[in-house]
């Protein structure tokens, strides 16, 4: 065997690994950008919205950011309780909100791709819905869908929400899109949890202004939100935030936010920041 022929398989394998690592770094970088964008949006939402609108506005931002980066035409996010029952939902077609609540609200997730993701507890990727029996179209909403990426969001091991991204052409979502969404999942989970606690704290405060029986994590969530709002006022531009080393910890030492500047100070990689 000649020397070039001998090294050809090794070079091919090395090139394949290099491409995979490059794609991984690109996905992680995009996820870090989306991570920051969602946090800034969350600060604005807490300043301008109240009650259930906080969650709906957060869902909208999650869908808009995710859809834009991976190129989805249609999307939805469903919120679950600890029994696996849908308690809130938002659907988007582009930037237009779809009226989907009667379709999902109050249902258990047992069939179709949502049921498969719920039971298998992992991302569901369909290249062509016409060739995959996991896909069950929603009447008047998703008959024309061909590509689907369905992403579970977990909180302390419990399925908290599911994000579904769709496109009318087959093979639009690949491994890189799934990798990007997987890197974004922890941030989405933290923002949903913090928003739920913030709304609950607001409601309990209105119900009984004199009550002092508020859980410590709810107090911390409210304090965190106010701190973020104050921070946003103090900094002249949102674009200044990446230049400053910032980390935010809530609920038993969990990171809500850790930017790239602080990660460099303490020697964290971007992958570790996003976990």
């Amino acid at each position: 065997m000649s020397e070039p022929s001998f090294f050809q398989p090794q070079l091919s394998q090395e090139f394949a690994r290099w491409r995979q690592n490059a794609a991984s770094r690109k996905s992680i970088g995009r996820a870090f950008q989306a991570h920051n964008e969602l946090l800034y949006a969350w600060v604005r939402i807490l300043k301008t919205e109240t009650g259930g609108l906080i969650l709906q506005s957060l869902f909208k931002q999650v869908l808009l950011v995710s859809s834009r980066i991976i190129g989805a035409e249609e999307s939805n996010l469903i919120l679950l309780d600890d029994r696996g029952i849908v308690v809130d939902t938002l659907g988007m077609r582009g930037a237009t909100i779809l009226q989907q609540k009667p379709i999902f609200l109050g249902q258990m997730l047992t069939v179709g791709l949502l049921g498969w993701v719920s039971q298998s507890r992992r991302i569901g990727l369909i290249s062509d819905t016409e060739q995959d029996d996991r896909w069950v179209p929603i009447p008047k909403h998703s008959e024309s869908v061909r590509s689907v990426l369905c992403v579970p969001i977990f909180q302390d091991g419990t399925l908290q929400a599911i994000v579904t991204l769709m496109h009318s052409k087959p093979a639009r979502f690949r491994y890189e899109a799934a990798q990007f969404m997987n890197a974004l999942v922890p941030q989405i989970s933290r923002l949903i949890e913090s928003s739920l606690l913030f709304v609950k704290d607001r409601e309990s405060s209105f119900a009984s202004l004199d009550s002092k029986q508020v859980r410590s994590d709810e107090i911390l969530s409210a304090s965190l939100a106010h701190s973020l709002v104050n921070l946003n006022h103090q900094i002249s531009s949102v674009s200044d935030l990446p230049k400053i080393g910032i980390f935010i910890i809530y609920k038993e030492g969990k990171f809500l936010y850790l930017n790239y500047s602080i990660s460099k100070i303490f020697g964290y990689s971007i992958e570790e920041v996003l976990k």
Side-chain angles (χ1 to χ4, degrees), residues 42 45-46 48-60 77 79 87-90 97 101 192 195-196 198-203 206:
W42 190 64
I45 289 167
L46 294 182
T48 58
E49 305 290 1
T50 59
L53 291 178
I54 291 176
L55 281 172
Q56 289 289 301
S57 297
L58 175 62
F59 294 170
K60 179 180 178 180
L77 187 153
L79 182 68
V87 294
D88 203 354
T89 181
L90 183 75
I97 296 177
K101 282 196 173 184
I192 290 176
S195 298
L196 287 169
F198 186 75
V199 170
K200 187 176 180 181
D201 178 64
R202 281 268 186 91
E203 290 175 348
F206 286 133

Side-chain angles (χ1 to χ4, degrees), residues 115-141:
W116 183 89
V117 168
S118 176
Q119 294 168 21
S120 67
R121 300 173 64 85
R122 55 196 176 99
I123 290 177
L125 177 61
I126 294 180
S127 295
D128 190 348
T129 57
E130 294 184 359
Q131 306 297 324
D132 197 312
D133 58 9
R134 292 178 299 174
W135 179 246
V136 178
I138 301 171
K140 299 181 181 179
H141 285 284

